[in-house]
Short mmCIF file of all heavy atoms in Angstrom, two decimals:
data_model
loop_
_atom_site.label_atom_id
_atom_site.label_comp_id
_atom_site.label_asym_id
_atom_site.label_seq_id
_atom_site.Cartn_x
_atom_site.Cartn_y
_atom_site.Cartn_z
N GLY A 124 151.79 107.98 109.63
CA GLY A 124 151.51 109.37 109.90
C GLY A 124 151.61 109.69 111.32
O GLY A 124 151.85 110.81 111.73
N GLN A 125 151.47 108.76 112.27
CA GLN A 125 151.58 108.97 113.62
C GLN A 125 152.96 109.35 114.06
O GLN A 125 153.27 110.23 114.71
CB GLN A 125 151.01 107.73 114.40
CG GLN A 125 149.61 107.55 114.49
CD GLN A 125 148.81 108.46 115.13
OE1 GLN A 125 149.06 108.74 116.28
NE2 GLN A 125 147.85 109.24 114.47
N GLU A 127 155.33 110.42 111.79
CA GLU A 127 155.71 111.58 111.14
C GLU A 127 155.16 112.83 111.93
O GLU A 127 155.79 113.80 112.09
CB GLU A 127 155.14 111.61 109.81
CG GLU A 127 155.91 110.61 108.85
CD GLU A 127 155.28 110.58 107.43
OE1 GLU A 127 154.41 111.29 107.22
OE2 GLU A 127 156.08 110.01 106.66
N ALA A 128 153.88 112.67 112.51
CA ALA A 128 153.42 113.91 113.15
C ALA A 128 154.04 114.16 114.50
O ALA A 128 154.46 115.38 114.85
CB ALA A 128 151.88 113.55 113.68
N GLY A 129 154.65 113.08 115.09
CA GLY A 129 155.46 113.25 116.25
C GLY A 129 156.84 113.82 115.87
O GLY A 129 157.37 114.81 116.53
N LEU A 130 157.42 113.38 114.86
CA LEU A 130 158.71 113.88 114.44
C LEU A 130 158.61 115.40 114.13
O LEU A 130 159.33 116.16 114.58
CB LEU A 130 159.17 113.12 113.09
CG LEU A 130 159.71 111.69 113.30
CD1 LEU A 130 160.08 111.24 112.02
CD2 LEU A 130 160.87 111.78 114.22
N VAL A 131 157.56 115.78 113.33
CA VAL A 131 157.41 117.13 112.96
C VAL A 131 157.21 118.04 114.22
O VAL A 131 157.57 119.25 114.20
CB VAL A 131 156.18 117.27 112.05
CG1 VAL A 131 155.72 118.77 111.86
CG2 VAL A 131 156.53 116.70 110.66
N LEU A 132 156.72 117.48 115.36
CA LEU A 132 156.53 118.19 116.49
C LEU A 132 157.72 118.16 117.44
O LEU A 132 157.71 118.56 118.62
CB LEU A 132 155.33 117.74 117.31
CG LEU A 132 153.96 117.85 116.63
CD1 LEU A 132 152.88 117.18 117.31
CD2 LEU A 132 153.60 119.36 116.77
N GLY A 133 158.96 117.82 116.77
CA GLY A 133 160.14 117.72 117.55
C GLY A 133 160.33 116.72 118.64
O GLY A 133 161.16 116.87 119.47
N MET A 134 159.45 115.56 118.48
CA MET A 134 159.60 114.61 119.45
C MET A 134 160.73 113.62 119.14
O MET A 134 161.00 113.40 117.96
CB MET A 134 158.31 113.86 119.60
CG MET A 134 157.11 114.68 120.25
SD MET A 134 155.45 114.12 119.99
CE MET A 134 155.52 112.61 120.93
N THR A 135 161.33 113.02 120.08
CA THR A 135 162.36 111.98 119.88
C THR A 135 161.63 110.71 119.42
O THR A 135 160.53 110.48 119.80
CB THR A 135 163.37 111.83 120.97
OG1 THR A 135 162.44 111.27 122.04
CG2 THR A 135 164.02 113.08 121.42
N ARG A 136 162.36 109.82 118.84
CA ARG A 136 161.85 108.46 118.62
C ARG A 136 161.34 107.76 119.72
O ARG A 136 160.33 107.07 119.79
CB ARG A 136 162.71 107.69 117.67
CG ARG A 136 162.71 108.18 116.23
CD ARG A 136 163.72 107.34 115.33
NE ARG A 136 164.03 108.10 114.11
CZ ARG A 136 163.16 108.12 113.23
NH1 ARG A 136 162.07 107.52 113.08
NH2 ARG A 136 163.51 108.95 112.01
N GLN A 138 160.28 109.09 122.60
CA GLN A 138 159.05 109.74 123.02
C GLN A 138 157.86 109.34 122.21
O GLN A 138 156.90 109.04 122.86
CB GLN A 138 159.19 111.34 122.93
CG GLN A 138 160.12 111.92 124.05
CD GLN A 138 160.47 113.43 123.87
OE1 GLN A 138 160.23 113.86 122.81
NE2 GLN A 138 160.65 113.98 124.98
N LYS A 142 154.93 107.71 124.01
CA LYS A 142 153.80 108.69 124.18
C LYS A 142 152.72 108.45 123.11
O LYS A 142 151.55 109.04 123.37
CB LYS A 142 154.29 110.04 124.25
CG LYS A 142 155.16 110.40 125.38
CD LYS A 142 154.49 110.56 126.72
CE LYS A 142 155.29 110.66 127.87
NZ LYS A 142 154.58 110.84 129.19
N VAL A 143 153.05 107.96 121.99
CA VAL A 143 152.11 107.83 120.92
C VAL A 143 151.79 106.43 120.51
O VAL A 143 150.66 106.05 120.43
CB VAL A 143 152.64 108.67 119.63
CG1 VAL A 143 151.67 108.63 118.56
CG2 VAL A 143 152.80 110.21 120.05
N LEU A 146 150.49 102.88 123.30
CA LEU A 146 149.01 102.69 123.75
C LEU A 146 148.23 102.29 122.59
O LEU A 146 147.44 101.33 122.67
CB LEU A 146 148.53 103.92 124.43
CG LEU A 146 147.19 103.79 125.14
CD1 LEU A 146 147.47 102.80 126.34
CD2 LEU A 146 146.61 105.02 125.73
N GLN A 147 148.51 102.77 121.45
CA GLN A 147 147.63 102.40 120.25
C GLN A 147 147.90 100.90 119.88
O GLN A 147 147.14 100.08 119.51
CB GLN A 147 148.06 103.25 119.11
CG GLN A 147 147.56 104.74 119.19
CD GLN A 147 148.09 105.54 118.03
OE1 GLN A 147 147.72 105.17 116.87
NE2 GLN A 147 148.67 106.70 118.11
N TYR A 226 138.02 104.07 124.81
CA TYR A 226 137.76 105.60 124.81
C TYR A 226 138.29 106.22 123.65
O TYR A 226 137.96 107.37 123.20
CB TYR A 226 138.28 106.21 126.08
CG TYR A 226 139.65 106.36 126.31
CD1 TYR A 226 140.49 107.44 125.79
CD2 TYR A 226 140.50 105.31 126.82
CE1 TYR A 226 141.86 107.50 125.88
CE2 TYR A 226 141.83 105.41 126.96
CZ TYR A 226 142.56 106.63 126.47
OH TYR A 226 143.85 106.57 126.55
N PHE A 227 139.29 105.47 122.90
CA PHE A 227 139.76 106.01 121.60
C PHE A 227 139.71 105.11 120.45
O PHE A 227 139.61 103.95 120.83
CB PHE A 227 141.19 106.74 121.80
CG PHE A 227 142.24 105.70 121.91
CD1 PHE A 227 142.94 105.10 121.03
CD2 PHE A 227 142.70 105.24 123.24
CE1 PHE A 227 143.94 104.25 121.10
CE2 PHE A 227 143.66 104.30 123.53
CZ PHE A 227 144.42 103.90 122.40
N ARG A 228 139.96 105.56 119.27
CA ARG A 228 139.89 104.61 118.15
C ARG A 228 141.17 104.84 117.32
O ARG A 228 141.69 105.83 117.27
CB ARG A 228 138.62 104.95 117.34
CG ARG A 228 137.60 104.03 117.58
CD ARG A 228 136.34 104.35 116.84
NE ARG A 228 135.18 104.23 117.71
CZ ARG A 228 134.16 104.97 117.57
NH1 ARG A 228 133.97 105.68 116.53
NH2 ARG A 228 133.04 104.84 118.51
N ARG X 47 157.61 117.98 102.52
CA ARG X 47 158.28 117.03 103.41
C ARG X 47 159.85 117.04 103.63
O ARG X 47 160.31 116.88 104.60
CB ARG X 47 157.85 115.66 102.85
CG ARG X 47 156.39 115.28 103.05
CD ARG X 47 156.11 113.97 102.38
NE ARG X 47 156.87 112.74 102.96
CZ ARG X 47 156.53 112.13 104.03
NH1 ARG X 47 155.35 112.40 104.69
NH2 ARG X 47 157.28 111.13 104.48
N LEU X 52 161.19 115.25 106.73
CA LEU X 52 160.63 113.97 106.69
C LEU X 52 161.26 113.22 105.50
O LEU X 52 161.25 112.02 105.41
CB LEU X 52 159.05 113.96 106.53
CG LEU X 52 158.33 114.48 107.77
CD1 LEU X 52 156.80 114.62 107.53
CD2 LEU X 52 158.61 113.65 108.95
N GLU X 78 171.02 113.33 112.25
CA GLU X 78 169.81 113.10 112.59
C GLU X 78 169.40 113.81 114.06
O GLU X 78 168.46 114.42 114.19
CB GLU X 78 169.56 111.52 113.01
CG GLU X 78 168.16 111.08 113.58
CD GLU X 78 167.11 111.22 112.59
OE1 GLU X 78 167.29 111.21 111.34
OE2 GLU X 78 165.89 111.46 113.03
N ARG X 82 166.39 117.17 114.78
CA ARG X 82 165.14 117.27 115.59
C ARG X 82 164.79 118.75 115.91
O ARG X 82 163.67 119.12 115.77
CB ARG X 82 165.39 116.50 116.76
CG ARG X 82 164.05 116.22 117.63
CD ARG X 82 164.25 115.27 118.66
NE ARG X 82 165.05 115.63 119.68
CZ ARG X 82 164.62 116.30 120.87
NH1 ARG X 82 163.37 116.60 121.01
NH2 ARG X 82 165.44 116.75 121.89
N ARG X 85 163.67 120.98 113.02
CA ARG X 85 162.18 120.81 112.60
C ARG X 85 161.29 121.78 113.22
O ARG X 85 160.33 122.22 112.72
CB ARG X 85 161.67 119.53 113.00
CG ARG X 85 162.33 118.27 112.19
CD ARG X 85 161.39 117.06 112.32
NE ARG X 85 161.74 115.98 111.34
CZ ARG X 85 162.49 114.88 111.76
NH1 ARG X 85 163.00 114.82 112.98
NH2 ARG X 85 162.81 114.05 110.87
N LEU X 90 153.88 121.48 110.55
CA LEU X 90 153.26 120.78 109.21
C LEU X 90 152.00 120.24 109.63
O LEU X 90 151.77 119.58 110.61
CB LEU X 90 154.23 119.62 108.75
CG LEU X 90 153.71 118.72 107.66
CD1 LEU X 90 153.47 119.63 106.37
CD2 LEU X 90 154.61 117.64 107.27
N PHE X 92 148.97 117.91 108.16
CA PHE X 92 148.86 116.81 107.17
C PHE X 92 147.50 116.71 106.58
O PHE X 92 146.51 117.20 107.19
CB PHE X 92 149.19 115.57 107.81
CG PHE X 92 150.52 115.33 108.40
CD1 PHE X 92 150.86 115.80 109.81
CD2 PHE X 92 151.56 114.67 107.75
CE1 PHE X 92 152.06 115.58 110.29
CE2 PHE X 92 152.78 114.56 108.28
CZ PHE X 92 153.08 115.09 109.59
N ASN X 96 146.41 113.21 111.04
CA ASN X 96 147.33 112.55 111.96
C ASN X 96 147.25 112.94 113.39
O ASN X 96 148.49 113.09 114.10
CB ASN X 96 148.84 112.66 111.41
CG ASN X 96 148.92 112.07 110.01
OD1 ASN X 96 148.11 111.30 109.74
ND2 ASN X 96 150.07 112.24 109.39
N LEU X 97 146.18 113.17 113.90
CA LEU X 97 146.03 113.46 115.37
C LEU X 97 146.39 112.24 116.06
O LEU X 97 146.13 111.10 115.66
CB LEU X 97 144.66 113.85 115.71
CG LEU X 97 144.30 115.31 115.18
CD1 LEU X 97 142.86 115.64 115.63
CD2 LEU X 97 145.11 116.39 115.68
N PHE X 98 146.79 112.32 117.41
CA PHE X 98 146.99 111.16 118.23
C PHE X 98 145.69 110.74 118.81
O PHE X 98 145.14 111.43 119.63
CB PHE X 98 148.01 111.58 119.36
CG PHE X 98 149.31 112.11 118.81
CD1 PHE X 98 149.93 113.35 119.30
CD2 PHE X 98 149.96 111.52 117.77
CE1 PHE X 98 151.04 113.82 118.79
CE2 PHE X 98 151.15 112.08 117.20
CZ PHE X 98 151.71 113.24 117.76
N PRO X 99 145.13 109.56 118.47
CA PRO X 99 143.79 109.19 118.85
C PRO X 99 143.56 109.10 120.37
O PRO X 99 142.37 109.33 120.86
CB PRO X 99 143.64 107.85 118.11
CG PRO X 99 144.95 107.22 117.91
CD PRO X 99 145.83 108.51 117.67
N GLN X 100 144.66 108.81 121.20
CA GLN X 100 144.37 108.53 122.56
C GLN X 100 144.49 109.79 123.38
O GLN X 100 144.25 109.75 124.58
CB GLN X 100 145.47 107.51 123.09
CG GLN X 100 146.85 108.01 123.24
CD GLN X 100 147.70 107.70 122.01
OE1 GLN X 100 147.32 107.88 120.89
NE2 GLN X 100 148.85 107.24 122.12
N TYR X 101 144.69 110.91 122.74
CA TYR X 101 144.52 112.35 123.42
C TYR X 101 143.48 112.98 122.98
O TYR X 101 143.01 112.99 121.95
CB TYR X 101 145.93 112.98 123.25
CG TYR X 101 147.28 112.36 123.66
CD1 TYR X 101 148.01 111.56 123.00
CD2 TYR X 101 147.64 112.53 125.07
CE1 TYR X 101 149.18 110.97 123.43
CE2 TYR X 101 148.66 111.91 125.64
CZ TYR X 101 149.49 111.14 124.75
OH TYR X 101 150.65 110.59 125.25
N ALA X 110 153.40 117.94 122.69
CA ALA X 110 154.77 118.27 122.30
C ALA X 110 155.46 119.34 123.08
O ALA X 110 156.54 119.29 123.55
CB ALA X 110 154.82 118.59 120.74
N LEU X 113 156.51 117.85 126.37
CA LEU X 113 157.74 117.02 126.23
C LEU X 113 159.04 117.94 126.06
O LEU X 113 160.05 117.72 126.68
CB LEU X 113 157.73 116.09 125.10
CG LEU X 113 156.66 114.96 125.25
CD1 LEU X 113 156.44 114.10 123.96
CD2 LEU X 113 156.95 114.07 126.41
N ARG X 116 160.30 119.65 129.23
CA ARG X 116 160.98 118.80 130.22
C ARG X 116 162.60 119.04 130.02
O ARG X 116 163.38 118.60 130.78
CB ARG X 116 160.75 117.30 129.92
CG ARG X 116 159.45 116.83 130.44
CD ARG X 116 159.29 115.37 130.28
NE ARG X 116 157.86 115.05 130.54
CZ ARG X 116 157.40 113.81 130.38
NH1 ARG X 116 158.18 112.84 129.97
NH2 ARG X 116 156.17 113.63 130.67
N TYR X 152 137.75 113.49 122.09
CA TYR X 152 138.79 112.68 121.40
C TYR X 152 138.64 112.83 119.94
O TYR X 152 137.48 113.19 119.52
CB TYR X 152 138.78 111.30 121.81
CG TYR X 152 139.18 111.09 123.26
CD1 TYR X 152 138.33 111.12 124.42
CD2 TYR X 152 140.51 110.96 123.52
CE1 TYR X 152 138.77 111.03 125.68
CE2 TYR X 152 141.00 110.78 124.94
CZ TYR X 152 140.10 110.85 125.86
OH TYR X 152 140.52 110.56 127.20
N HIS X 154 138.10 110.87 117.44
CA HIS X 154 137.05 110.08 116.78
C HIS X 154 135.63 110.80 117.15
O HIS X 154 134.73 110.43 116.42
CB HIS X 154 137.17 108.64 117.23
CG HIS X 154 136.64 108.29 118.59
ND1 HIS X 154 137.40 108.31 119.59
CD2 HIS X 154 135.27 107.93 118.92
CE1 HIS X 154 136.61 107.97 120.81
NE2 HIS X 154 135.35 107.77 120.41
N ARG X 168 147.65 122.38 117.03
CA ARG X 168 148.77 121.61 117.52
C ARG X 168 150.06 122.16 116.92
O ARG X 168 151.12 122.17 117.63
CB ARG X 168 148.58 120.10 117.13
CG ARG X 168 149.63 119.16 117.63
CD ARG X 168 149.36 117.80 117.34
NE ARG X 168 149.39 117.47 115.86
CZ ARG X 168 149.21 116.15 115.45
NH1 ARG X 168 149.12 115.12 116.37
NH2 ARG X 168 149.25 115.97 114.09
N LEU X 172 153.71 125.18 118.96
CA LEU X 172 155.20 125.20 118.99
C LEU X 172 155.71 126.53 118.45
O LEU X 172 156.96 126.62 118.21
CB LEU X 172 155.78 124.02 118.41
CG LEU X 172 155.38 122.67 119.09
CD1 LEU X 172 156.05 121.46 118.33
CD2 LEU X 172 155.89 122.66 120.53
#
Side-chain angles (χ1 to χ4, degrees):
Chain A
Q125 292 289 308
E127 289 183 350
L130 286 176
V131 167
L132 292 166
M134 291 161 70
T135 62
R136 283 183 198 274
Q138 287 172 337
K142 297 286 174 182
V143 177
L146 193 62
Q147 295 181 48
Y226 72 91
F227 71 90
R228 259 173 230 156
Chain X
R47 289 172 61 85
L52 290 177
E78 178 73 26
R82 184 170 77 89
R85 284 198 173 101
L90 178 59
F92 298 86
N96 295 350
L97 291 180
F98 306 132
Q100 72 266 46
Y101 294 98
L113 294 174
R116 287 186 193 177
Y152 289 92
H154 77 272
R168 181 174 71 172
L172 297 177

